[in-house]
């Protein structure tokens, strides 16, 4: 397996170099409080490689402090067709480990998962603008975001079990939380495709719009998110992420704690 620190780690202290991100099939644009991350391998339907996942992790580590909203999108006809199947054959110098060194493989997968886990940080709201194929790792990337805006041509599919693998890019937890374990089992173990109408019904997409209205819908959502008080947004996201693990008593205490912080900031105490 290739070195997990190769490629995008040529980044400067200010963040990953544009050239390194381009080689990883990514583009990053920061406009004030909004960062847009584009999966940019349209000729491969934005199929993902180890470099892609390392690049996403590097973006998360170097995100400017003033960014409040991060939009994930895909160039071309699809969000992402998932894992680049050429990696199974080791093309391009990168291939899968055989798992014989469990500790090393565990560390490697954890480094790839970092490309997804930062999207849940409370100080940002993450929006997936999903169209066309969102397969495997692409589906899991959408699931890692706080809000999914889907075009009516979207095709979600958890493909990994059909390839002899498991979904290991942080997607199993949000999938079960959204659709329940029974439906999650059915979706994963049949690797069937979920289209826009069903995605909305299951809660896999918060907003579904015609394909030609996707950009406008995302822009409208981003504007609405930025209109909310920044401190209140951070505190509320933190509360909502804690809620599923908390008892009612714990959640009530968390609400009191966060509200005290808000009152102190608002009234200068």
């Amino acid at each position: 397996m290739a070195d997990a620190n190769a490629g995008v780690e040529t980044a400067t202290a200010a963040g990953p170099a544009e050239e390194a991100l381009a080689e990883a099939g990514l583009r990053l644009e920061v406009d004030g409080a909004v960062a847009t991350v584009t999966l940019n391998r349209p000729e491969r339907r934005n199929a993902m490689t180890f470099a892609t996942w390392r690049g996403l992790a590097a973006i998360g580590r170097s995100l400017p402090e003033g960014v409040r909203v991060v939009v994930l999108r895909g160039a071309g006809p699809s969000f992402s067709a998932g894992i680049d199947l050429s990696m199974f054959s080791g093309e391009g110098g990168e291939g899968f480990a055989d798992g014989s060194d469990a500790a090393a493989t565990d560390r490697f997968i954890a480094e790839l998962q970092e490309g997804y886990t930062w999207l849940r940080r409370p100080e940002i709201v993450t929006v997936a603008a999903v169209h066309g194929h969102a397969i495997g790792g692409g589906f899991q990337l959408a699931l890692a975001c706080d809000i999914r805006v889907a075009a009516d041509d979207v095709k979600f599919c958890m493909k990994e079990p059909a390839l002899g693998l498991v979904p290991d890019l942080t997607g199993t937890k949000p999938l079960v939380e959204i659709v329940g374990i029974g439906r999650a089992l059915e979706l994963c173990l049949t690797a069937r495709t979920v289209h826009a109408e069903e995605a909305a019904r299951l809660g896999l997409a918060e907003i579904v719009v015609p394909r030609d209205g996707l950009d406008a819908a995302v822009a409208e959502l981003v504007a609405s998110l930025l209109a909310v008080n920044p401190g209140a947004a951070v505190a509320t996201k933190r509360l909502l992420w804690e809620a599923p693990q908390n008892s009612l008593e714990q959640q009530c205490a968390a609400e009191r704690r966060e509200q005290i912080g808000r009152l102190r900031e608002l009234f200068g105490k």
Side-chain angles (χ1 to χ4, degrees), residues 157-169:
C157 176
M158 200 66 85
K159 191 75 171 177
E160 286 85 351
L163 300 173
L165 302 170
V166 301
D168 66 346
L169 293 169

Side-chain angles (χ1 to χ4, degrees), residues 36-39 46 70-80 126-134 138 141-143 145-151 153-154 156 205-207 209 211 213-219 221-222:
T36 300
V37 180
T38 303
L39 305 175
N46 300 318
V70 178
V71 177
L72 275 292
R73 62 193 327 141
S78 292
F79 182 70
S80 174
T126 52
V127 177
V130 193
H131 70 285
H133 295 90
L141 186 62
L143 287 169
C145 292
D146 297 313
I147 302 171
R148 286 160 294 283
V149 183
D153 67 346
V154 75
F156 290 117
E206 281 69 39
I207 301 169
V209 295
R211 175 67 184 89
L214 182 61
D215 290 347
V218 170
L221 174 62
V222 169

Side-chain angles (χ1 to χ4, degrees), residues 70-212:
V70 178
V71 177
L72 275 292
R73 62 193 327 141
S78 292
F79 182 70
S80 174
I83 191 168
D84 191 325
L85 297 180
S86 68
M87 293 200 298
F88 282 99
S89 61
E91 291 178 25
E94 293 190 287
F96 285 92
D98 61 11
S100 57
D101 187 338
T105 304
D106 183 273
R107 288 192 300 271
F108 185 81
I109 295 173
E111 288 166 347
L112 302 183
Q113 290 171 332
E114 186 189 349
Y116 290 61
T117 53
W118 68 270
L119 295 164
R120 298 165 167 94
R121 294 195 323 228
E123 66 269 24
I124 55 175
V125 179
T126 52
V127 177
V130 193
H131 70 285
H133 295 90
I135 310 299
F139 187 11
Q140 292 183 78
L141 186 62
L143 287 169
C145 292
D146 297 313
I147 302 171
R148 286 160 294 283
V149 183
D152 56 8
D153 67 346
V154 75
K155 299 176 181 67
F156 290 117
C157 176
M158 200 66 85
K159 191 75 171 177
E160 286 85 351
L163 300 173
L165 302 170
V166 301
D168 66 346
L169 293 169
T170 79
T172 55
K173 180 176 173 62
L175 183 63
V176 169
E177 289 175 342
I178 292 168
V179 305
I181 190 167
R183 181 63 68 192
L185 279 165
E186 185 263 332
L187 293 177
C188 291
L189 299 187
T190 64
R192 72 173 177 86
T193 298
V194 177
H195 297 275
E197 182 180 351
E198 183 181 10
R201 188 170 70 251
L202 293 177
L204 294 171
E206 281 69 39
I207 301 169
V208 174
V209 295
R211 175 67 184 89
D212 60 5

Side-chain angles (χ1 to χ4, degrees), residues 198-251:
E198 183 181 10
R201 188 170 70 251
L202 293 177
L204 294 171
E206 281 69 39
I207 301 169
V208 174
V209 295
R211 175 67 184 89
D212 60 5
L214 182 61
D215 290 347
V218 170
E220 182 178 354
L221 174 62
V222 169
S224 297
L225 292 169
L226 292 177
V228 173
N229 177 280
V234 172
T236 300
K237 178 174 176 178
R238 192 159 47 222
L239 270 176
L240 295 176
W241 272 105
E242 290 176 8
Q245 287 76 42
N246 283 349
S247 66
L248 177 59
E249 182 180 4
Q250 290 169 327
Q251 191 66 10

